[in-house]
Amino acid sequence: MNILSLRNVVKRYEKHTAVNDVSFDIPKGKIFGMLGPNGAGKTSLIRMITSITKADEGKILIDGEPLNAMHPMQIGYLPEERGLYKKMKVGEQLLYLARLKGLTQKDARNKLNGWLEKFEITDWWNKKVGELSKGMQQKVQFIACVVHDPKLMILDEPFSGLDPINTNLIKDEIYEMNKNGTSIIFSTHRMEQVEQICEEIVLMNQGKVVLEGNVKNIKNDFRDDKFELEFDGQFPSDMLGDSFEILKDDAISCVIQAKEGHDSNELLRGLMDKNIKINSFKEVLPSLNDIFIKKVGESNE
Amino acid sequence: MSKVNLIIGREYWTRVKTKTFLLTTFLAPIAIALFYAVLIFFMTRGSDKTKNITIIDKAGLAEKIEMKKNNLVFDLSNESLVQLKEKYKAGDIDGIIELPPLDSTQDKYNIVYHADKALALDESSAIEKMFSKPIRDYKMTAFGFEQSQLDKIDTDIEISPQTVNETEKELSSITGLVSSGVGFIVGTVLFFVIMIFGSQVMRGVNEEKLNRIVEVLISSVKPIQLMLGKVIGIGLVGLTQFGIWAILGSVISIGALAFFGLDAGMADPAANEMAAEAMANPEIKSKMAEILKELSTINWGLIIPLYFVYFLLGYMMYASVFAAVGAAAGDDVNEAQALTTVVMVPLAAAFYIAISAAQSPDSTLAVWSSIIPISAPVVMPVRLASGPPAWEIILSVVLCALFVVFMIWLASRIYRVGIMMYGKKASFKELAKWIAYRD
C-alpha cells in the first residue's frame, strides 16, 4: 500500500513548467527522500501534496484516495522557509497551530506538554518566539508540524540552520516517528543526508523524475569499478599498467579505478603476484552526489 | 467555519491583550480631551491681566458704555492728557483712551489709545465693539430718529422652515446645522476607523507573508479563510475599542455634568463664572435647548444601527483590499506604498465628498456618492441625520453589500497568489493576472 501516489502530475506557472508529468509512489511506513537541486520542482510538488496549490493535470492519491479537504489534517508539513509569529508566546502559538490542524483545546494542550517535556523545553511556554534563538525556533516549528500525529510528514530541508546536536535530536525524532508508523517525505538538495536516512529516493531535475528506487539498488546500478585497498609495504605502481588508475594514494590506503574491460580479480591477482600483503579490500560505491551529477549531466544533454 | 473562528480569535486576542491596545484605548481619548481642553483654555483665556484704562471723553459717550469689559476696567477723567501721561509713567494706569468729539458727517471715527504697549487683538476688538452702538445711536439721533425708534431698529432675522407634507418631522431653524454637525463627526470617525484598522489588516497580512508563517497556515486552512479571519478579527478589535470609547465617553460626560451641574461650588471659579455667564445669557441658553431638542428629534434608534451597518460594509470593503495589498507587497516599502494608493485615493475622495455632504446633504454629488458603493459607507452616514429618502438608503445598503461580496472575492484572488509569491514585483498588470490564476 502506498501512502502517496502521484500520477502524471503537472504544475505550470506562467513561463515555465515547475512539475512536468511526474509519477511515483511512496510506500507506507518508509522514509522517502526527494532529491534535486534548487528549482527541480520539489517545493512545487510538496505544495500540491499539502493542498496549498492544485495540480494542473494528473492525480494525487493519499492512502489510495484522491486528495480531499480532510487530508491536510493528516499531513504534517515543515516548510523550508519557516517562520512563526515573533510576538506570540510559544505556548499560545503552538496551541493555535495545533487547533488549526483540528485538535481540540484539551488534546492539543496534552500533546504539546508531552512534546515540550520530550525536548526539555517546558519552561518555554510563556516565552515569546522572538526571544528564542534560531535553532530553538526550529524546535518549536518541528513540534508544530508533528503535534497532530500526522500519518504523512513532509520535511523540506529540515536540518538547514541546525547545529549538530539539534540535527541529531530531530533526526532521532524522525526515526522514532517512523518506527511508530509515520511515513516521511524528506526533501533536500543535500545528498549525503539522504544516504544516511532514506531507504527509497526519487531524484528530480527540472520538473522531472530522473531516477527513483531503493538507495542500495541505485548505488549498485551505478557502481563504477572503484576499489579501496589497504596494504603493507610499497605500492607497485608500475604493475598497474594501462588497466588501472590510481585515484588517491596516501600512507594507509589507496583508491583505484579499474578501466573498461578490467575487474577486481585482475587487480587482486596482480597484487598477490607481487607478494603485497592486503589488509582490506572493498568496492567503493558512488555517492548519490556523484550519481546525481552523472544523471543530471545526461538529462541535460 | 470553526477554523475561521480560531483565526478570528487569534487576531482579536493577540491585539486586545497588548499594552498598545490598552494605551491607545485609554490614553487616546484622554489625549484628545487634553488637546481640546488646552485649545479651549488658550482660546477663551485671551488677555487675563486687568488693565486700568482711563478715558478722556470729548464725545459724551461715557454714560452709554459699560465701565468693565472682560479684563478691561475703565475710568473717566477730567484731567488733561499730559497729567494722565504722568500717571501712566508712574504706573498708576495702563493706558489712556482719547475719544475725540463726534461728527455725524464723518464715516470714520478715530479713537486714540496712548500706551507703550499695544492692545491685544481681543482687547482692541472689544473696545471697538463697545463703542460702535453708542456711536451709531448718536448718529441716528443726529439724523432725527427718536429714542423709541432706535430701540426698535434692530431686527432678529430667522428663517423658519415649514414642512409641506404633514407627515414629515417638524423642522426648526437649526435642523440643518445640527444634522450637518452630527454627519460631519460621524463621517470623520468612519473615515479614520476604516483607514486605521484597514492598514492594520495590511500590516498583519504582510507580516505573515514576510516571516513565512503563512506557508504553515495555508497548509491547514484555505487562503480565503485566513484572509476573512484576519479582516473580521481586526474589525472586532475596532468595534471593541469604539465600544469602550462610547461607554467611557458617556460615563465621563455624565460625570462631568454631575460635577459641574450639581457641585458648582467645588469647580474652578473662573470656569464656573463663565458657565454661569453663558447660562445666564438667555440667548445661549435657548440655543442650547434648541440644539438638544433638535438632537432628540433625530431618529437615533434607526440611525445608530445604520452607522454600524455602514461601518461594517465600509470596513469589509476596504479591509479586504488592504489585505490583498498586504499580500501582494513584498518587503519593499515603496512597493507597499504605491499599492496603498489604490485604496487611499478612493477613500480620501469619499471623505472629502462626505465633508461637503455634511454642508449640503442633498446635493447631486452627495446623493450619488452615497449610493455608489466605493464612497457610500463614508458619505451616506453623513447624510443620515438629515433624513434622506428611504429608497436611497435601501439601494445604497444593497449595492454596498453586493460590492463587499465582490471585493472580498476579488481580494481573495489576489491574496492567495500574492501571499505565496516572493521576490516578484507586484505591478498592477501582474495583479490582474493573479486574479485570473487557477489554484
Side-chain angles (χ1 to χ4, degrees):
Chain A
M1 194 64 188
N2 296 320
I3 185 76
L4 176 72
S5 301
L6 303 177
R7 293 282 170 271
N8 310 98
V9 174
V10 177
K11 181 74 190 174
R12 284 186 209 94
Y13 289 109
E14 215 179 319
K15 286 188 183 94
H16 73 291
T17 307
V19 176
N20 190 356
D21 197 21
V22 166
S23 304
F24 60 83
D25 294 314
I26 298 182
K28 223 177 229 179
K30 289 270 161 62
I31 302 183
F32 188 90
M34 196 150 82
L35 295 178
N38 297 325
K42 302 184 304 274
T43 302
S44 296
L45 201 56
I46 290 173
R47 284 185 176 176
M48 287 186 273
I49 299 167
T50 51
S51 302
I52 292 174
T53 56
K54 280 188 194 137
D56 293 333
E57 283 169 36
K59 263 190 203 158
I60 298 172
L61 305 173
I62 304 258
D63 224 351
E65 294 170 45
L67 210 55
N68 66 41
M70 291 316 293
H71 285 136
M73 303 305 113
Q74 300 162 9
I75 296 176
Y77 173 39
L78 185 69
E80 176 180 7
E81 297 282 3
R82 49 203 81 133
L84 295 161
Y85 291 110
K86 297 252 178 310
K87 286 180 190 157
M88 238 176 142
K89 285 174 183 164
V90 171
E92 283 177 348
Q93 179 141 226
L94 283 173
L95 265 179
Y96 173 61
L97 293 173
R99 296 202 59 202
L100 281 184
K101 283 287 184 193
L103 262 59
T104 63
Q105 175 87 14
K106 209 177 134 203
D107 277 359
R109 185 87 211 210
N110 287 339
K111 292 224 164 102
L112 287 173
N113 284 339
W115 277 102
L116 291 178
E117 271 165 36
K118 200 171 206 170
F119 283 166
E120 295 171 353
I121 53 175
T122 40
D123 55 327
W124 289 7
W125 188 271
N126 280 319
K127 269 192 187 158
K128 280 188 183 163
V129 171
E131 295 167 15
L132 303 178
S133 73
K134 224 176 165 194
M136 290 157 119
Q137 291 185 24
Q138 300 242 37
K139 276 192 201 169
V140 175
Q141 192 116 36
F142 183 80
I143 295 174
C145 157
V146 297
V147 66
H148 58 296
D149 291 327
K151 57 183 186 183
L152 173 64
M153 258 178 57
I154 303 176
L155 310 170
D156 200 354
E157 305 284 0
F159 305 129
S160 72
L162 282 182
D163 63 24
I165 295 171
N166 282 318
T167 302
N168 278 332
L169 191 80
I170 301 283
K171 217 186 261 180
D172 289 345
E173 275 328 307
I174 295 174
Y175 285 133
E176 198 182 319
M177 295 199 52
N178 179 242
K179 221 182 283 166
N180 296 334
T182 311
S183 309
I184 292 160
I185 299 179
F186 178 21
S187 163
T188 184
H189 66 279
R190 307 263 312 267
M191 314 286 170
E192 73 282 359
Q193 288 179 346
V194 179
E195 284 180 58
Q196 302 160 4
I197 298 174
C198 303
E199 297 163 69
E200 309 244 349
I201 59 158
V202 58
L203 202 63
M204 292 184 68
N205 189 42
Q206 296 182 336
K208 286 187 168 172
V209 173
V210 285
L211 195 66
E212 64 172 302
N214 184 285
V215 174
K216 267 183 204 150
N217 296 342
I218 289 176
K219 284 189 151 192
N220 279 332
D221 289 348
F222 281 82
R223 67 210 304 182
D224 51 358
D225 300 323
K226 266 187 209 157
F227 306 99
E228 187 177 356
L229 278 169
E230 279 178 35
F231 51 83
D232 292 337
Q234 189 71 37
F235 192 80
S237 44
D238 56 315
M239 102 182 227
L240 292 169
D242 290 337
S243 316
F244 300 96
E245 189 187 339
I246 302 172
L247 296 175
K248 195 184 111 199
D249 186 8
D250 55 42
I252 314 151
S253 68
C254 77
V255 178
I256 292 166
Q257 168 84 63
K259 290 194 176 167
E260 192 99 32
H262 304 276
D263 62 13
S264 54
N265 285 356
E266 196 181 331
L267 176 66
L268 284 172
R269 210 173 293 125
L271 289 169
M272 283 190 290
D273 286 347
K274 297 274 177 188
N275 263 334
I276 287 169
K277 186 164 181 283
I278 300 165
N279 296 329
S280 85
F281 179 84
K282 70 171 184 208
E283 182 174 13
V284 180
L285 288 172
S287 70
L288 282 175
N289 212 18
D290 299 333
I291 295 173
F292 176 75
I293 289 164
K294 201 172 168 201
K295 237 5 232 191
V296 167
E298 272 173 24
S299 71
N300 281 351
E301 272 159 18
Chain B
M1 200 56 215
S2 71
K3 283 191 181 165
V4 179
N5 288 338
L6 272 174
I7 297 165
I8 293 173
R10 193 203 84 86
E11 297 298 338
Y12 182 78
W13 289 113
T14 51
R15 283 181 173 76
V16 170
K17 278 197 286 191
T18 55
K19 286 193 194 98
T20 328
F21 178 81
L22 276 179
L23 285 178
T24 52
T25 306
F26 292 101
L27 289 187
I30 294 174
I32 291 169
L34 262 180
F35 173 75
Y36 279 111
V38 169
L39 200 69
I40 290 168
F41 178 76
F42 282 115
M43 276 173 53
T44 54
R45 202 172 164 82
S47 313
D48 55 351
K49 224 176 102 204
T50 308
K51 271 189 184 168
N52 292 309
I53 296 169
T54 304
I55 298 174
I56 306 175
D57 185 14
K58 292 176 185 158
L61 290 172
E63 59 197 29
K64 287 180 179 165
I65 55 172
E66 302 167 62
M67 294 314 277
K68 187 176 182 303
K69 184 85 187 168
N70 299 341
N71 61 319
L72 304 174
V73 178
F74 300 105
D75 179 29
L76 285 172
S77 171
N78 294 322
E79 289 166 282
S80 72
L81 184 60
V82 182
Q83 282 170 312
L84 287 173
K85 277 185 177 170
E86 283 310 313
K87 269 181 146 182
Y88 175 83
K89 281 178 191 158
D92 296 340
I93 54 174
D94 298 303
I96 307 152
I97 283 179
E98 209 184 344
L99 298 174
L102 279 165
D103 177 357
S104 59
T105 59
Q106 291 292 316
D107 51 9
K108 196 163 166 57
Y109 184 65
N110 196 20
I111 299 171
V112 187
Y113 179 68
H114 300 274
D116 295 334
K117 258 199 220 158
L119 286 165
L121 203 61
D122 59 332
E123 291 168 340
S124 57
S125 77
I127 292 174
E128 277 168 28
K129 221 170 152 191
M130 192 168 80
F131 286 110
S132 80
K133 197 168 183 297
I135 291 170
R136 199 180 59 146
D137 285 356
Y138 166 83
K139 281 188 172 178
M140 303 278 256
T141 322
F143 295 148
F145 288 89
E146 299 288 326
Q147 185 60 42
S148 60
Q149 288 175 310
L150 287 181
D151 290 343
K152 283 187 177 142
I153 204 153
D154 285 326
T155 319
D156 201 0
I157 302 168
E158 199 173 331
I159 300 174
S160 13
Q162 206 66 52
T163 51
V164 180
N165 280 321
E166 278 171 19
T167 50
E168 293 289 324
K169 77 164 189 164
E170 224 175 280
L171 299 172
S172 85
S173 57
I174 58 160
T175 303
L177 188 75
V178 170
S179 52
S180 289
V182 171
F184 178 75
I185 293 167
V186 170
T188 314
V189 168
L190 274 177
F191 167 73
F192 280 108
V193 171
I194 290 173
M195 196 179 67
I196 291 167
F197 289 95
S199 41
Q200 274 206 30
V201 169
M202 180 178 75
R203 265 182 280 130
V205 169
N206 198 241
E207 182 204 347
E208 276 172 1
K209 175 180 177 173
L210 294 183
N211 75 15
R212 313 275 172 137
I213 192 164
V214 73
E215 188 127 3
V216 178
L217 298 176
I218 295 294
S219 71
S220 307
V221 298
K222 291 202 187 76
I224 188 160
Q225 291 176 313
L226 192 57
M227 187 182 103
L228 281 180
K230 179 157 247 103
V231 167
I232 295 170
I234 293 177
L236 289 178
V237 176
L239 281 179
T240 307
Q241 200 154 47
F242 275 88
I244 295 174
W245 284 346
I247 293 166
L248 269 184
S250 36
V251 167
I252 288 172
S253 46
I254 290 169
L257 268 180
F259 185 72
F260 286 114
L262 302 175
D263 211 352
M266 300 278 288
D268 174 29
N272 238 340
E273 204 175 298
M274 239 159 56
E277 222 170 273
M279 291 321 276
N281 188 333
E283 212 174 300
I284 293 179
K285 202 170 181 180
S286 72
K287 262 285 188 274
M288 288 283 279
E290 245 181 290
I291 290 172
L292 286 175
K293 187 174 155 247
E294 200 49 49
L295 280 173
S296 67
T297 62
I298 293 174
N299 188 356
W300 295 110
L302 178 69
I303 287 183
I304 290 178
L306 275 173
Y307 287 155
F308 276 92
V309 167
Y310 277 106
F311 163 70
L312 286 178
L313 290 171
Y315 170 77
M316 289 300 284
M317 194 184 291
Y318 279 99
S320 50
V321 183
F322 271 116
V325 168
D331 50 4
D332 182 2
V333 181
N334 293 330
E335 188 187 359
Q337 247 160 16
L339 288 169
T340 317
T341 52
V342 190
V343 206
M344 290 312 294
V345 168
L347 194 54
F351 179 56
Y352 286 119
I353 295 171
I355 290 175
S356 88
Q359 287 160 351
S360 44
D362 293 323
S363 69
T364 317
L365 177 70
V367 171
W368 282 106
S369 50
S370 66
I371 292 173
I372 294 166
I374 292 177
S375 52
V378 181
V379 181
M380 186 54 109
V382 171
R383 295 183 61 220
L384 281 177
S386 68
W391 71 266
E392 283 180 15
I393 303 175
I394 294 166
L395 180 64
S396 150
V397 169
V398 170
L399 284 181
C400 278
L402 290 175
F403 191 66
V404 163
V405 174
F406 172 71
M407 284 317 280
I408 290 174
W409 173 82
L410 194 73
S412 73
R413 303 287 293 176
I414 295 175
Y415 178 90
R416 93 214 133 108
V417 180
I419 201 96
M420 304 293 282
M421 193 72 81
Y422 299 106
K424 199 170 195 176
K425 203 166 162 9
S427 63
F428 292 113
K429 207 175 131 205
E430 195 67 34
L431 294 188
K433 276 187 203 154
W434 293 358
I435 294 168
Y437 268 8
R438 281 170 297 162
D439 284 310

